[in-house]
């Protein structure tokens, strides 16, 4: 609803209005119906899982209900069952007749479709779930079993829900009473089970929303005469009603009264852009609640309250003069008409060349108009009113050069400081689009002062701005950067680091989905083996298990020495150890080593090391780590492959000599090609520029401290050896006897996979490749290899999460990250 209202409020009536849309019914697919459909399907699947796997609990519930039923008198129960069966058909029939008499025949037809679909799905589910004995029990007469989905509950509920009972309390009460009594009578007479009743209700409710979303819900636009009649009862004296567009009307009054802009709020307005608003609310911590999920009356009251509050604050905006409901699904809001037009229509965007005089748009607002825009925002902020939708279409300018701020439907009263700062950032972006960053910032400082403008700098992020503003900035790629630079130029002391506003990034969502899929595949593989690895883990040898735990714990102080060795500056050992421990917590929510890199960079920044030097130190350590890792893998692979000593046969699964030679030849040809082709050479130089400009100078600085550099290299090697020893102890703990070299190859290959697989901590890729390499090179069975790897991952990936979280919190309290 917010998107439609903002777009409508920002438009000025044209001299030739578009054709009227009077009396014609449209259909709209409301995203809320889709959300309810998905929720209903999830609940149905949950009930079926409960029936399939919680058999003892379900049978116990059914027997408890049967014992309670035996305590009821028999003749009244039978009589009630007969009456409820009759009422179950009478209530929807009476409701349908009532809606037809009121001219709502299209909804009745949609409801009949939903009931037919529900009945068909009931029959289909009866056939598919007939083997689930937890959904049924023997019939009272002993002739077969009851149905998995009880009676006509699903068609009746689908019919009533699709027809719509919102705002019709009597019919909703009648339906609730009838369904309750019918369900109880089904339990009393023995023709229903608790789960069959629940399944019937969920199926009917879900089918109704599926039908409503599939065919759409009819939405009838009121005729101009209906609008005039409705407004006449609120003190307005309508003379003529003109349709200006979808859901927007111009009303003139008798006796020279002011003209009114009238907006229609209905299901069409609620559905417009709801999915986009839901996604934004999921991603952004400061996103407003989507108005399409609010009841119509709540949205109406909120919009009216914001308009009166802004007018009371002295700001120029549209003032609501009349509000009237047209029914449970539609309402009208009448505003005093403004003779003003939005900036998007009045002014050309800054980077575009001006058109010839008299044909194009003015270059931009004057300095006085810019100051007036900031004064209007200052009036709102003084009363702590957040606009939340500032864009080139909600900032209006009238013929006298006065600025009006409209589109307050998504605003908030008693807003937090963060929301007020977001408004400052939003208006900065809007004015910069049409007047340039320098003029926009200068006018803001003249009116608000340097403080509020400086605190808005971290919030100048595209995701935090209104959609229209975001689109304008997208068309002019350098404008956002120029605006930030202008604010920093005028206020060098202002914090420049962007505030984290996103609660969920698409990359994180993809990582979580990939992690769930990999974990599910791992569990499927885990329990498909003949020998259950879980039993091997629980029966691990305690001495070897203690050794594995020791080497897993020892890896953290060793990693601390390795990390400090590549930083010439002096670091606190305790804080550095906490940072390495906190990496165990961070990597749970990030793929590969991305989280650890970000954490270590932030730790060095907070330790007083400039960002460039901090990132260079991380780059040097990663470069050395990669080289040392590949050397270790080559050395242990060569040791494993000597005479095939650690294989069950004389052949090695590792690459043959001719394969390595071919790979080297291909690499040489690729290097010569890059050096010979100018375009490829320039591309390679661009990719290697950070290495030459940042990593190599840092490496030269480290060369002045050979002791620290040697400690870093030795630490890198020892970290790998700690993990290899931990994995070796795990294999011995579960009763396997591979060679040490084979274990080293298995760990080094699996760890490399963990940095490539886009899942938290490399889940799935590490376990799969590490267990495969162990089984292949160590000549042990698959179940034993997987059990050893699982035990290793428990000690090095799962158990360190809690101490990692404690270290992360400790570093945050000390402002060390």
């Amino acid at each position: 609803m917010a998107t439609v209202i903002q777009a409508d409020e920002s438009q000025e009536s044209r001299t030739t209005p578009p054709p009227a849309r009077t009396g014609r019914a449209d259909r709209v697919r409301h995203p809320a119906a889709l959300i309810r459909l998905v929720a209903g399907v999830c609940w149905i699947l949950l009930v079926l899982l409960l029936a399939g796997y919680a058999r003892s609990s379900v049978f116990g519930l059914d027997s408890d209900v049967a014992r309670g039923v035996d305590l009821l008198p028999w003749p009244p129960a039978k009589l009630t069952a007969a009456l409820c069966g009759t009422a179950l058909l009478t209530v929807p029939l009476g409701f349908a007749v009532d809606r037809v008499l009121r001219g709502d025949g299209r909804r009745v037809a949609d409801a009949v479709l939903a009931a037919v679909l529900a009945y068909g799905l009931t029959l289909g589910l009866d056939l598919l779930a007939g083997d689930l004995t937890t959904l049924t029990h023997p019939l009272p007469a002993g002739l077969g079993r009851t149905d998995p989905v009880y009676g006509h509950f699903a068609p009746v509920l689908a019919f009533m829900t699709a027809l719509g009972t919102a705002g019709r309390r009597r019919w909703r009460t009648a339906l609730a009473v009838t369904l309750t009594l019918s369900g109880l009578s089904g339990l009393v007479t023995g023709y229903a089970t608790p789960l069959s009743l629940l399944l019937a209700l969920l199926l009917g409710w879900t089918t109704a929303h599926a039908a409503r979303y599939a065919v759409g819900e009819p939405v009838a636009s009121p005729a101009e005469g209906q609008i005039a009649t409705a407004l006449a009862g609120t003190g307005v004296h309508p003379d003529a009603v003109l349709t200006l567009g979808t859901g927007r009307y111009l009303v003139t009054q008798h006796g020279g009264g002011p003209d009114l802009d009238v907006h229609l709020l209905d299901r069409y307005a609620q559905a417009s852009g709801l999915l986009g608003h839901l996604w934004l609310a999921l991603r952004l911590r400061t996103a407003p609640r989507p108005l399409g999920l609010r009841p119509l009356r709540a949205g109406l009251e909120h919009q009216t309250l914001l308009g009166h509050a802004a007018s009371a604050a002295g700001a120029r905006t549209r003032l609501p003069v009349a509000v009237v409901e047209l029914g449970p699904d539609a309402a009208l809001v009448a505003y005093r008409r403004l003779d003003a037009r939005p900036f998007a229509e009045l002014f050309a965007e800054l980077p575009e060349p001006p058109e010839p005089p008299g044909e194009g748009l003015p270059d931009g607002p004057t300095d006085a108009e810019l100051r007036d825009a900031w004064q209007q925002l200052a009036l709102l902020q003084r009363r702590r009113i957040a606009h939340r939708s500032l864009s080139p279409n909600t900032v209006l300018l009238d013929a006298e050069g006065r600025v009006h701020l409209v589109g307050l439907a998504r605003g908030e009263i008693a807003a937090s400081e963060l929301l007020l700062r977001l408004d400052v950032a939003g208006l900065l972006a809007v004015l910069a689009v049409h007047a340039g960053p320098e003029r926009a910032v200068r006018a803001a400082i003249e009116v608000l002062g340097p403080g509020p403008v400086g605190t808005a700098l971290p919030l100048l992020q595209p995701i935090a701005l209104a959609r229209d503003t975001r689109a304008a900035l997208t068309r002019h790629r350098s404008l956002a950067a120029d605006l930030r630079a202008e604010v920093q130029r005028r206020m060098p002391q202002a914090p420049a680091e962007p505030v984290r506003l996103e609660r969920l990034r698409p990359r994180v969502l993809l990582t979580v989905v990939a992690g769930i899929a990999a974990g599910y595949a791992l569990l499927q593989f885990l329990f498909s083996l003949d020998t259950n690895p879980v039993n091997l883990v629980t029966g691990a040898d305690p001495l070897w298990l203690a050794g594995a735990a020791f080497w897993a714990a020892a890896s953290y102080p060793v990693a601390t020495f390795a990390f400090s060795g590549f930083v010439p500056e002096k670091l606190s050992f305790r804080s550095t150890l906490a940072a390495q421990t906190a990496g165990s917590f961070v990597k749970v929510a990030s793929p590969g080593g991305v989280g650890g890199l970000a954490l270590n960079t932030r730790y060095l920044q907070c330790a007083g090391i400039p960002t460039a030097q901090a990132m260079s130190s991380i780059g040097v350590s990663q470069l050395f780590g990669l080289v040392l890792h590949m050397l270790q893998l080559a050395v242990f692979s060569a040791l494993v492959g000597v005479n095939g000593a650690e294989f069950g046969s004389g052949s090695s699964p590792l690459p043959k000599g001719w394969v390595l030679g071919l790979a080297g030849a291909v690499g040489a040809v690729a290097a010569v090609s890059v050096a010979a082709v100018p375009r490829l050479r320039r591309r390679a130089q661009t990719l290697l520029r950070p290495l030459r400009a940042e990593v190599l100078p840092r490496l030269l600085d480290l060369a002045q401290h050979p002791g620290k550099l040697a400690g870093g290299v030795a630490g890198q090697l020892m970290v790998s050896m700690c993990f290899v020893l931990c994995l070796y102890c795990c294999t011995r703990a579960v009763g396997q006897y591979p060679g040490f070299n084979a274990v080293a190859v298995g760990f080094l290959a699996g760890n490399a996979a963990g940095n490539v697989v886009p899942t938290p901590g490399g889940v799935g890729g590490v376990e799969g490749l590490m267990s495969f390499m162990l089984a292949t090179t160590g000549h042990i069975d698959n179940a034993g290899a997987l059990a050893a790897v699982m035990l290793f991952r428990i000690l090095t990936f799962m158990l360190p999460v809690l101490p990692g979280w404690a270290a992360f919190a400790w570093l945050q309290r000390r402002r060390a990250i």
Side-chain angles (χ1 to χ4, degrees), residues 182-213:
S182 298
L184 291 176
S185 67
L187 295 175
V188 168
T189 56
Y191 285 93
T193 64
L195 283 189
S196 69
L197 287 174
L198 180 58
L199 196 59
L201 294 174
L202 289 174
L203 187 63
W205 186 78
T206 304
T207 306
H209 291 293
R212 294 177 75 170
Y213 189 76

Side-chain angles (χ1 to χ4, degrees), residues 366-459:
T366 65
D367 290 341
E369 292 166 350
L370 293 177
R371 287 192 295 270
D372 190 29
W374 286 112
Q375 288 167 358
Q376 298 308 304
L377 183 64
L379 292 173
L380 293 179
Q381 300 223 329
R382 193 173 303 159
R383 296 290 184 92
R384 304 199 69 83
I385 300 174
H387 189 288
R388 312 207 65 182
S389 301
L390 288 167
S391 73
N393 287 318
T394 58
V395 181
L396 276 61
L397 185 68
D398 62 20
E400 300 177 5
R402 297 180 303 177
V403 174
H404 304 257
L405 301 180
V406 300
L408 285 162
R410 299 175 68 185
E412 288 191 20
I413 297 176
S416 65
E417 191 65 32
L418 178 61
L419 297 183
L420 298 179
R421 291 163 59 194
L422 281 171
D423 274 355
V424 176
L427 191 56
L428 273 173
V430 170
L431 299 183
V433 167
H434 297 287
E438 183 179 355
R439 295 179 61 205
V441 174
R442 183 174 67 244
I445 295 176
E446 290 176 359
V447 177
L448 300 180
V453 179
T455 57
L457 176 61
L459 300 174

